Amino acid sequence: MGDLKQYGLVRAQERLRDQVGHALRAALIAGELRPGQVYSAPGLASDLGVSATPVREAMLDLAREGLVEPVRNKGFRITEVSGRDLDQYTELRTLIEVPTVGRIAETADRARLEALRPVAEEIVSRARDHDLIGYLEADRRFHLALLALSGNDRLVETVGELRKRSRLYGLTALDEAGRLVTSAEEHLELLDLMAAGDARGAEECMRRHLGHVRSLWADDTHDEPPAPNRTPSTGSREPAAPGRPPSARSGEPSARPGLAAL
C-alpha cells in the first residue's frame, strides 16, 4: 500500500506544479513579473502560498519554453523579447498560418469549422469583459484547433511554440483603449470566410490579423516594457483572492500587486 500512497502524492504534486505554472503564466501576461528581473523560487512560493518545490519545477518548465532563464544561486530571470524577435516570430507565423488557413478553407468539413465558432465568440466576450488571461487562452485554443484541421501535428506544435515565445506585453493599456475587441472580432470574420470556402479571403484575413497582433506588440514593446496601470481580470480561471506582490529580493524591484495565491 505504501507504493500506492506514494503514487497519489506524486499525482497531487504534479497537479500543484501545473497550477503554479498557470499562475506564473498569468503573472507574465499581466506584466506582474517583469522582463529582465530575477525572482527567487522561495519568494514566489511565499507569494503563492505554496512550497518552493512546485514553483521551482514550474519555472524550469517555463525555462524550457524560453520564457525564463535560470540564474545561478539567485533564481530565474524573465526573458526579454526584442522588437526584432517579434518581427521574426510574426514572419514565421505568417509563412505557416496564412497558406494553411487557405488550404483548410478549401478542404475542411464545414461542420468542423463551425464547431470552432463558440471559441471565436468566447475570444470576443473575454476581450469585452477585460479578461486578458481568458482572452489569450481562448485565442490559443482557437488558433491551434483551427490549424489542427490541417492534419499536421508538427505544424500545430511549431506554431504553439512560437506563440509561447511571443507573449504580449502591456495588454492592459491596449485593453483600456478598446483595441483588443477589434482584434478579437477578426476571429469571427476569419471563420466566416473559411466556412464560405473563400480561401483567398481567409488568407488575407489571417495576414491582416497577424499584422494587427504585431502592431499591438509594437505599441507597447520597448527595451524595458512599461508596467501596466491596472491588473486585468482573470475571470473564472484564476482564484479570486489576490496574493501579496512578489517582494524585492537581492535588490530586485517589486512586481505589481495581484499575483494570485493558489
Side-chain angles (χ1 to χ4, degrees):
M1 293 299 292
D3 289 341
L4 291 177
K5 290 180 179 179
Q6 182 179 7
Y7 175 74
L9 289 173
V10 170
R11 292 295 298 274
Q13 182 71 10
E14 288 175 349
R15 286 194 293 271
L16 180 57
R17 172 179 180 165
D18 291 341
Q19 292 176 46
V20 170
H22 182 75
L24 293 174
R25 288 177 188 279
L28 279 167
I29 292 167
E32 295 165 16
L33 298 180
R34 299 294 307 282
Q37 300 302 326
V38 177
Y39 298 89
S40 72
L44 290 172
S46 176
D47 298 330
L48 291 167
V50 298
S51 67
T53 297
V55 173
R56 190 172 291 108
E57 292 173 342
M59 291 297 266
L60 288 173
D61 289 337
L62 296 181
R64 282 189 284 270
E65 298 172 10
L67 300 179
V68 304
E69 56 184 6
V71 178
R72 186 176 179 83
N73 298 326
K74 290 186 178 181
F76 297 85
R77 177 183 291 111
I78 310 301
T79 56
E80 300 181 80
V81 182
S82 69
R84 185 169 183 270
D85 291 331
L86 295 176
D87 285 338
Q88 292 178 349
Y89 294 144
T90 302
E91 181 180 4
L92 286 171
R93 288 189 61 187
T94 299
L95 289 171
I96 295 171
E97 296 185 62
V98 169
T100 299
V101 298
R103 291 196 302 271
I104 293 172
E106 294 176 336
T107 62
D109 180 79
R110 297 297 173 261
R112 297 182 70 186
L113 286 169
E114 285 299 328
L116 295 175
R117 190 168 295 277
V119 186
E121 292 172 343
E122 181 185 350
I123 296 170
V124 177
S125 175
R126 297 286 185 180
R128 288 175 176 164
D129 291 343
H130 312 290
D131 177 3
L132 303 188
I133 306 304
Y135 169 87
L136 287 177
E137 172 60 19
D139 180 80
R140 182 192 66 81
R141 285 188 283 116
F142 176 87
H143 280 276
L144 297 187
L146 180 63
L147 294 174
L149 297 181
S150 70
N152 189 329
D153 294 340
R154 299 290 80 77
L155 182 152
V156 176
E157 193 175 273
T158 298
V159 172
E161 288 300 315
L162 289 170
R163 290 177 60 89
K164 289 175 183 176
R165 292 179 179 273
S166 57
R167 62 190 181 275
L168 297 182
Y169 291 127
L171 277 182
T172 303
L174 298 170
D175 170 52
E176 290 174 341
R179 297 181 60 191
L180 283 185
V181 174
T182 300
S183 179
E185 290 173 343
E186 289 175 342
H187 297 84
L188 291 169
E189 178 187 353
L190 174 64
L191 201 56
D192 288 341
L193 290 166
M194 297 181 73
D198 186 351
R200 181 172 297 181
E203 289 180 354
E204 178 55 35
C205 182
M206 176 59 82
R207 184 177 290 106
R208 174 164 37 89
H209 177 65
L210 291 175
H212 286 170
V213 170
R214 177 61 184 98
S215 71
L216 295 184
W217 287 331
D219 284 352
D220 210 61
T221 301
H222 308 278
D223 291 337
E224 185 175 340
N229 52 27
R230 72 173 174 82
T231 302
S233 165
T234 57
S236 60
R237 285 174 165 74
E238 294 294 316
R244 292 177 290 105
S247 55
R249 290 173 285 279
S250 301
E252 73 183 61
S254 297
R256 296 177 64 256
L259 181 59
L262 293 176

